[in-house]
Amino acid sequence: MASETSVEKVKNLNEAANNKIEENSVTICEDEQPSTSKAARERQDDEDLANIVTAEEYIMHKNIVLLEYEKQMFLDMVHADGLLVCAKGLHYDRVLINILKAYSDAGNLILVINASDWEEEYYKTKLERKYVHEVANTAAEREKVYLEGGIQFISTRILVVDLLKQRIPVELITGIIVMRAHNIIESCQEAFVLRLYRQQNKTGFIKAFSNSAEAFTIGYNHIERILRNLFLKHLFIWPRFHATVQQTIKPYEAQTIEIHVPLTHKMELIQTNLLDTMNFLVREIKRINRTIDLEEITVENCVTKKFHKILQAQLDCIWHQLNSQTKLIVADLKILRSLIISTMYNDAVSAYALIKRYRTTDYAMTNSGWTLLDSAEQIFKHSKERVYNKEDEFEPEAVPKWKYLTEILRVEIPADMKRTKPDSITPPKVLVLCQDTRTCFQLKQYLTQGGERYMLYNAMRHEIPIKKLGKSFQKVKNAKDLELTFTQNTSNVSSKNASGVKEQSKSNGDETTDGEQTQMDELTQLLSGIEAEENLDAKYFQESYMLTMTQNFDDTNLSLFNDSGNDEEVNADLSVFEPFPELENFDITAAVAARKQPFICIQTFKTEREGSLALDRVLEELEPDYVIMYNTNVTAIRQLEIYEARQKRAAKKRIKVFFLIHARTVEEQSYLTSLRREKQAFELIIETKRTMVVPEYQDGKTDEAFTLYKKYIDSDDDELDNKQTAQAGGQLVKKREIPKVIVDMREFRSDLPCLLHKRGIEVQPVTITIGDYILTPDICVERKSISDLIGSLNSGRLYNQCIQMQRFYAKPILLIEFDQNKPFHLQGKYMISQNTSTANADIVQKLQLLTLHFPKLRLIWSPSPYATSQLFEDLKMGKEQPDSKKAATLGSDEAGGAYDELKYNANIYDFLLRLPGVNTKNIHKLMRLGGSLKELLKKTESELSDLLDSRENGKLLWDILHVAHLPEKDEVQGSTAMIAAGKSYGAHSRFRRGAAAARGTGRKLKS
């Protein structure tokens, strides 16, 4: 059955019959130096052929360690090109690594695209360095690297240009692997790469991977469209409830203890009032917008982690239609969600400091009115009561989970070690998993300093007023030392922050000089905005901390913990823990006596450098005996299940997992909602796979897949070449030339080149200094987004660009692209906003001046790249094709030939070009032979006709120089209107000057 199909790990074999090996075969062989003799080469070839194995034999190799469901994933992806969608936590990383290892050879060229930075680094460390090639900086170096084969993680922007310029041997590419396939839309660069690849290579493979099932549920027919963009026909679905996954994980379930931590009475009241407030705002937003579908905006969704994505998907296209009250409610829902999270996970002091921000007069004047509700008053009241007692003394209540965490670490784990491992000398290793770096820091401070000292420190940091300490805080010693520590920390933070701000302002200055800094739309800013203080704090939080509990932790032994060592990276080697206790205070006898006390690693679920795979590395290196899930996370729970399935240990030796969860709270509801949403997403994908129709040609291995895009006759189509028509008088039909568009290299950041290519237009990447797109020898297009347009107008760069376009091209075009789903208003956000600046106040006037100054400049407003691509096709219809060499030399120092004649006074050149009868074709002769403007006025009409090579142009120029032109009727009315405007705005000097000039013109006309 499948044994006949195999994956070949191609060695650089002799060019002959050895290349006839099956298309899909894998070889496991050692690298050997090629022998010079013929006999040695033949012997080497025989050994290589003997080492060819099937995919099934490959995964049975002793060095290949895969779980049962991973083996099935590997076989599915090897035997057929397809898209693999797996659940969160069921990582496809080992499957992909083995596929890459199977093809690791100099005779293969594998390209990996759309990988994030941390994914790229992770996979590079798992592969042999000699087969992984870094992307070169220059084009010549990249050509050499492509010919060396191996595996390359490459940017699609670079790859697109190399494919179009034929720097890469497309027919020699073994295959392309696509990461994060749920992001592949029709207009993205990855889809462009795959189309170029599949058009010229019909035998190579395409394999795509994704672990975000929910992303495939957004939009209409999203799965079918992504499969079409990937040129794939097969869809492999691996949810957590897959039978093979359950059979793999079920026998090795870890020991789990779920501890329901009750909230304090005040926390319950705060949560109830926050949910009541959110419920009121949700009902209010639906009442105001009865005609808009706001089904996804519910209280349940508001407390989930993906709330901002849900809200953005729902409101993005209608944001301009919403009134100001609705926008305020959206902002307040985000704030209330942050208050709930802070109440659940932060300590009482930090939560109170956050809530206190929203009880100010300034905020009360700008919110939707929720602060005036009775429930809001209760929120403020109970938040303060959590920090101060009835006597107004500083006595904040502890975080409920702290007590249970301490009990697990100091009682449960040592007692369990005595029962299960009474003779063990090595202390147990405990892994505490948290949702973010802030919680990691909180637990580290709590375990090393104690709860009272940590909350007192937080109160000083957040400037919470402390009149008198409560009884439980009287035992906190060395308050002066704590204050000194706080002062030092804040000074360090402020100095680092100052330098950071200085560097950031410097970099921002560099970016904004050309006016092309992209502006975020209002909704994105609203939903993704993070408080500046939170950003500042996050810089100094670590993603992992290592602690030792060999000493009793209380205030008298705080000096035993060295905070500087707590930031070390996790390592299973016990020597890592040596610097934590200060050596001079380290008691060996106490350490031996308390050998059952645990070593603790506090770790986030995922890190910036390794993503969610960081947890897998920590589990493998640390090999913890106990895991405490301080927060709930679906991905982390499944990673623990898979870790145990790989270990295949007896029940007594497995990890014991403690779950700390607030039952019947927002925390539990958020966890259950994420599970439900993922399950519904997989059910939708399964149903779609059952009903969707996949064309046979969708894999692109036949030309039929591209005939839908072709609108032009192929040059090798003999049948159409010999076709005779009545309209042509029986003559041969002239073959239609494939249209070409010259695209500036910097424009490949946009979607437009991809869409132009899809319409059958040949895209030629060239570094050009004038314009962005050259459609014909006469038509040059400068493309601007709304933000680019504003920046270019303010900086004056657009004026210079228009001068260059008009100087070299007869039909310059300024293309302004906007998003049709986000209508813009130059008077709204960009012009007359609350923060009106002089730079943005006259955008419309500058645009009007631009059109008056350049009468040949055409403005085109395009609602999307799709509309632009269709427009370009229409503009090119029946026109001559542009010359890439000529376009590259225009405006550059290397411009030769006729363009050397342009080295004249640019002002005179621009002035002449605006005169009737003068164009880009005759202006060079006019400037060479015309002499000066004074001499030009003395020339006769026939002399001007000779200079301009046209009788009609000569007459136009002579008339404008010698015939008096009376103003049109509309111009006279305009002068009168300006006089009236001058009277209305008599106090304004600009209007007075304009009115005076108009009156003077009127008197001259009368006389």
Side-chain angles (χ1 to χ4, degrees):
M1 190 181 88
S3 61
E4 297 179 0
T5 307
S6 50
V7 179
E8 181 185 3
K9 180 186 176 184
V10 183
K11 290 295 292 179
N12 222 352
L13 302 179
N14 238 14
E15 298 177 358
N18 296 334
N19 292 331
K20 301 288 186 179
I21 303 171
E22 290 183 39
E23 178 185 346
N24 296 323
S25 59
V26 179
T27 66
I28 304 174
C29 51
E30 300 293 332
D31 295 325
E32 297 184 6
Q33 295 297 328
S35 178
T36 55
S37 66
K38 182 178 179 181
R41 285 200 302 269
E42 290 178 353
R43 189 164 55 253
Q44 177 68 36
D45 294 346
D46 292 339
E47 290 177 4
D48 291 334
L49 288 172
N51 284 327
I52 293 177
V53 296
T54 62
E56 288 78 4
E57 292 171 338
Y58 174 82
I59 60 177
M60 296 302 294
H61 194 267
K62 62 180 180 180
N63 294 330
I64 308 301
V65 181
L66 294 175
L67 296 175
E68 195 60 39
Y69 77 89
E70 290 175 332
K71 292 179 181 178
Q72 190 59 49
M73 283 182 181
F74 178 82
L75 294 174
D76 289 342
M77 296 302 288
V78 161
H79 290 152
D81 293 354
L83 167 62
L84 175 70
V85 182
C86 64
K88 294 176 182 175
L90 306 182
H91 289 304
Y92 53 75
D93 59 303
R94 289 177 183 257
V95 177
L96 180 53
I97 287 170
N98 280 284
I99 291 176
L100 292 174
K101 284 182 177 179
Y103 286 97
S104 294
D105 191 87
N108 294 330
L109 176 57
I110 307 296
L111 302 176
V112 183
I113 61 176
N114 202 34
S116 61
D117 292 339
W118 67 265
E119 284 177 324
E120 181 177 338
E121 291 300 319
Y122 171 77
Y123 287 110
K124 283 181 178 178
T125 58
K126 299 294 182 181
L127 300 170
E128 291 186 59
R129 297 300 301 175
K130 62 180 179 180
Y131 295 129
V132 180
H133 300 294
E134 299 294 335
V135 179
N137 293 326
T138 63
E141 291 175 355
R142 284 202 302 273
E143 285 188 51
K144 294 179 181 178
V145 174
Y146 289 140
L147 294 173
E148 291 176 4
I151 300 168
Q152 290 196 37
F153 294 81
I154 189 169
S155 164
T156 49
R157 193 168 66 87
I158 296 174
L159 186 57
V160 163
V161 175
D162 287 348
L163 286 169
L164 290 172
K165 285 186 167 289
Q166 298 180 349
R167 293 171 182 158
I168 178 171
V170 183
E171 65 281 356
L172 298 181
I173 298 176
T174 308
I176 294 180
I177 291 175
V178 185
M179 311 284 288
R180 298 182 295 169
H182 51 273
N183 295 328
I184 308 301
I185 59 175
E186 185 182 36
S187 59
C188 69
Q189 298 289 350
E190 289 76 18
F192 195 3
V193 166
L194 294 174
R195 194 181 316 121
L196 291 170
Y197 164 68
R198 196 45 98 194
Q199 281 181 340
Q200 302 177 57
N201 188 325
K202 306 295 184 183
T203 58
F205 66 75
I206 298 175
K207 303 184 189 302
F209 298 85
S210 173
N211 60 356
S212 179
E214 294 178 43
F216 289 94
T217 62
I218 300 171
Y220 181 70
N221 284 345
H222 197 55
I223 302 172
E224 292 96 317
R225 285 187 280 114
I226 287 181
L227 284 173
R228 189 164 57 248
N229 297 334
L230 291 168
F231 293 95
L232 295 174
K233 295 193 296 184
H234 300 285
L235 176 63
F236 304 110
I237 309 168
W238 287 91
R240 173 61 180 84
F241 54 82
H242 195 288
T244 308
V245 176
Q246 290 184 333
Q247 291 170 6
T248 304
I249 295 176
K250 185 79 172 173
Y252 304 102
E253 289 181 340
Q255 307 173 63
T256 58
I257 300 172
E258 188 170 330
I259 301 174
H260 288 183
V261 181
L263 295 176
T264 64
H265 180 62
K266 293 185 180 65
M267 288 177 70
E268 288 181 349
L269 292 174
I270 292 172
Q271 177 187 251
T272 302
N273 285 291
L274 281 170
L275 290 175
D276 287 345
T277 307
M278 293 180 80
N279 188 38
F280 169 77
L281 292 181
V282 167
R283 285 189 282 108
E284 189 69 10
I285 199 173
K286 292 183 177 181
R287 182 189 65 80
I288 296 173
N289 305 279
R290 295 183 183 276
T291 59
I292 300 175
D293 180 21
L294 300 174
E295 183 181 351
E296 290 295 322
I297 301 181
T298 63
V299 176
E300 180 183 1
N301 286 337
C302 286
V303 298
T304 61
K305 292 181 180 178
K306 294 186 179 294
F307 164 67
H308 64 287
K309 292 183 180 178
I310 295 171
L311 203 58
Q312 193 159 8
Q314 191 81 7
L315 298 179
D316 211 5
C317 58
I318 58 170
W319 186 253
H320 62 285
Q321 300 175 9
L322 304 178
N323 57 25
S324 58
Q325 181 67 10
T326 303
K327 295 178 181 180
L328 289 175
I329 292 175
V330 171
D332 290 341
L333 283 174
K334 175 181 176 292
I335 290 171
L336 291 171
R337 179 178 178 274
S338 68
L339 294 181
I340 283 186
I341 292 173
S342 178
T343 304
M344 285 289 144
Y345 302 126
N346 293 346
D347 60 280
V349 176
S350 299
Y352 175 62
L354 180 62
I355 291 176
K356 193 178 176 184
R357 296 182 197 172
Y358 303 109
R359 203 177 192 187
T360 61
T361 306
D362 293 338
Y363 179 73
M365 300 294 291
T366 57
N367 70 69
S368 61
W370 71 271
T371 54
L372 303 177
L373 300 174
D374 293 338
S375 56
E377 186 63 32
Q378 294 297 316
I379 292 168
F380 296 132
K381 174 186 173 185
H382 295 308
S383 296
K384 185 176 182 180
E385 289 176 353
R386 290 187 68 202
V387 179
Y388 302 100
N389 58 20
K390 295 180 180 179
E391 287 77 25
D392 203 22
E393 296 175 338
F394 180 78
E395 194 170 9
E397 61 183 23
V399 177
K401 287 186 180 182
W402 284 357
K403 174 185 174 183
Y404 290 85
L405 176 65
T406 306
E407 185 178 347
I408 291 171
L409 292 174
R410 303 190 66 186
V411 180
E412 292 291 336
I413 291 178
D416 187 69
M417 285 294 292
K418 287 181 180 179
R419 288 195 305 269
T420 57
K421 301 176 182 178
D423 300 328
S424 177
I425 299 177
T426 57
K429 288 170 282 189
V430 182
L431 178 61
V432 182
L433 295 176
C434 308
Q435 65 177 356
D436 54 23
T437 55
R438 182 184 294 274
T439 310
C440 272
F441 178 76
Q442 177 197 116
L443 294 184
K444 175 251 183 182
Q445 293 295 98
Y446 166 69
L447 293 175
T448 56
Q449 294 186 5
E452 291 84 2
R453 185 175 280 258
Y454 170 66
M455 286 192 287
L456 187 58
Y457 172 85
N458 256 352
M460 298 171 67
R461 189 166 65 91
H462 291 295
E463 299 181 355
I464 301 297
I466 302 175
K467 297 179 182 178
K468 185 179 179 182
L469 294 175
K471 292 181 180 179
S472 61
F473 282 77
Q474 295 294 335
K475 64 178 182 179
V476 177
K477 301 177 182 179
N478 300 327
K480 292 184 179 180
D481 295 341
L482 181 63
E483 186 174 358
L484 180 62
T485 304
F486 168 74
T487 308
Q488 292 175 348
N489 288 345
T490 51
S491 63
N492 292 336
V493 168
S494 60
S495 62
K496 290 181 181 178
N497 184 36
S499 62
V501 170
K502 186 176 180 181
E503 292 175 2
Q504 185 178 4
S505 62
K506 183 179 179 181
S507 62
N508 287 346
D510 295 339
E511 290 176 1
T512 55
T513 50
D514 59 355
E516 288 202 10
Q517 186 178 8
T518 305
Q519 297 187 11
M520 296 170 64
D521 61 272
E522 188 179 355
L523 180 59
T524 306
Q525 286 178 340
L526 175 66
L527 297 179
S528 62
I530 302 175
E531 297 292 339
E533 184 179 348
E534 293 180 4
N535 260 341
L536 175 64
D537 291 344
K539 294 179 183 177
Y540 306 102
F541 295 154
Q542 304 295 322
E543 293 170 335
S544 64
Y545 296 97
M546 295 293 294
L547 307 178
T548 177
M549 294 292 291
T550 54
Q551 305 289 336
N552 293 328
F553 91 97
D554 55 20
D555 294 324
T556 60
N557 286 327
L558 287 174
S559 61
L560 297 179
F561 296 93
N562 180 11
D563 289 348
S564 63
N566 292 339
D567 302 343
E568 295 292 327
E569 288 295 324
V570 180
N571 194 325
D573 191 351
L574 295 181
S575 63
V576 173
F577 303 120
E578 289 180 2
F580 297 118
E582 295 197 18
L583 296 179
E584 63 268 23
N585 296 328
F586 188 74
D587 188 357
I588 302 296
T589 308
V592 174
R595 65 183 183 274
K596 301 298 187 295
Q597 294 295 336
F599 289 120
I600 304 168
C601 171
I602 305 174
Q603 173 76 32
T604 54
F605 292 129
K606 59 182 181 179
T607 63
E608 289 185 8
R609 192 171 60 184
E610 296 176 286
S612 56
L613 296 176
L615 180 55
D616 291 335
R617 179 184 61 82
V618 171
L619 290 171
E620 291 175 5
E621 293 183 1
L622 189 64
E623 295 181 355
D625 303 299
Y626 301 90
V627 174
I628 301 175
M629 295 284 292
Y630 192 79
N631 302 120
T632 55
N633 184 274
V634 176
T635 304
I637 292 171
R638 290 171 181 168
Q639 286 176 284
L640 291 172
E641 291 178 329
I642 293 169
Y643 173 73
E644 274 303 330
R646 293 192 200 284
Q647 299 298 317
K648 298 183 178 179
R649 297 182 290 197
K652 292 183 179 180
K653 295 182 179 180
R654 293 174 197 161
I655 292 177
K656 182 170 285 188
V657 183
F658 295 90
F659 287 93
L660 295 178
I661 187 169
H662 293 300
R664 296 183 297 279
T665 62
V666 169
E667 182 184 23
E668 184 182 42
Q669 183 60 46
S670 177
Y671 172 70
L672 296 176
T673 301
S674 60
L675 279 177
R676 177 179 57 80
R677 291 178 67 86
E678 186 190 64
K679 182 173 180 290
Q680 290 176 347
F682 270 112
E683 289 173 349
L684 176 63
I685 294 174
I686 292 169
E687 179 63 22
T688 304
K689 181 181 178 180
R690 188 181 67 84
T691 57
M692 70 180 180
V693 177
V694 179
E696 187 64 29
Y697 57 80
Q698 185 163 293
D699 56 5
K701 294 185 178 180
T702 61
D703 290 332
E704 190 178 359
F706 302 99
T707 53
L708 298 177
Y709 307 135
K710 287 186 178 180
K711 298 183 179 180
Y712 307 98
I713 300 172
D714 292 337
S715 59
D716 57 349
D717 197 337
D718 297 331
E719 183 180 351
L720 289 177
D721 286 347
N722 298 324
K723 183 179 177 182
Q724 296 181 352
T725 61
Q727 290 85 350
Q731 300 177 17
L732 291 177
V733 176
K734 186 178 179 180
K735 289 184 291 187
R736 189 172 180 182
E737 189 178 6
I738 297 177
K740 299 176 183 178
V741 171
I742 297 172
V743 182
D744 186 28
M745 298 285 254
R746 290 157 292 201
E747 276 297 302
F748 281 91
R749 297 186 183 94
S750 68
D751 297 340
L752 187 53
C754 174
L755 297 174
L756 287 172
H757 183 270
K758 189 169 183 179
R759 299 188 73 88
I761 298 173
E762 182 181 340
V763 176
Q764 294 184 342
V766 179
T767 302
I768 53 179
T769 57
I770 300 174
D772 294 326
Y773 298 86
I774 310 299
L775 305 186
T776 70
D778 293 333
I779 300 178
C780 173
V781 180
E782 178 71 29
R783 188 185 69 89
K784 297 287 184 186
S785 64
I786 296 297
S787 57
D788 290 342
L789 175 69
I790 294 170
S792 300
L793 283 171
N794 288 334
S795 65
R797 191 163 53 87
L798 182 58
Y799 176 82
N800 295 327
Q801 290 172 335
C802 291
I803 288 178
Q804 293 291 323
M805 285 196 296
Q806 184 165 285
R807 187 173 295 170
F808 292 99
Y809 293 95
K811 299 176 182 178
I813 294 176
L814 175 61
L815 171 71
I816 305 172
E817 273 191 356
F818 59 92
D819 191 342
Q820 59 186 353
N821 294 324
K822 300 177 188 175
F824 63 93
H825 306 279
L826 289 175
Q827 307 103 298
K829 179 182 175 185
Y830 298 107
M831 180 181 164
I832 309 176
S833 60
Q834 293 179 352
N835 301 321
T836 303
S837 64
T838 56
N840 288 347
D842 50 356
I843 296 299
V844 177
Q845 289 90 329
K846 288 180 180 179
L847 205 56
Q848 291 171 344
L849 284 173
L850 191 73
T851 56
L852 291 172
H853 199 70
F854 301 101
K856 293 183 179 179
L857 180 68
R858 298 291 179 262
L859 264 63
I860 298 178
W861 298 82
S862 175
S864 69
Y866 291 90
T868 305
S869 61
Q870 183 178 355
L871 177 68
F872 280 10
E873 185 179 8
D874 295 340
L875 288 174
K876 284 189 60 62
M877 196 69 70
K879 300 290 193 308
E880 187 181 349
Q881 303 302 331
D883 184 359
S884 57
K885 292 182 180 179
K886 182 178 177 181
T889 56
L890 284 179
S892 64
D893 295 335
E894 293 81 12
Y899 303 105
D900 288 332
E901 299 164 0
L902 296 178
K903 295 178 180 178
Y904 298 106
N905 188 326
N907 294 326
I908 299 298
Y909 180 93
D910 295 334
F911 172 76
L912 289 176
L913 203 58
R914 289 179 176 80
L915 296 176
V918 182
N919 53 45
T920 54
K921 295 181 180 179
N922 55 33
I923 189 172
H924 306 136
K925 185 177 179 181
L926 181 63
M927 293 192 71
R928 282 199 317 273
L929 305 176
S932 64
L933 290 175
K934 187 176 181 181
E935 292 180 13
L936 202 63
L937 289 169
K938 296 178 181 178
K939 293 186 181 295
T940 63
E941 184 177 339
S942 60
E943 289 175 338
L944 290 177
S945 300
D946 293 338
L947 279 175
L948 300 180
D949 297 329
S950 170
R951 198 171 183 182
E952 181 181 356
N953 290 336
K955 186 175 188 312
L956 288 172
L957 181 57
W958 194 86
D959 285 348
I960 198 66
L961 293 175
H962 297 282
V963 177
H965 290 267
L966 294 176
E968 298 289 340
K969 183 178 179 182
D970 293 341
E971 294 180 11
V972 177
Q973 292 176 350
S975 301
T976 308
M978 190 170 286
I979 294 171
K983 294 178 180 178
S984 309
Y985 298 91
H988 201 292
S989 60
R990 184 176 61 169
F991 287 102
R992 284 202 300 269
R993 288 195 298 269
R999 283 196 294 269
T1001 306
R1003 292 193 191 98
K1004 290 179 182 177
L1005 292 176
K1006 289 178 182 178
S1007 61

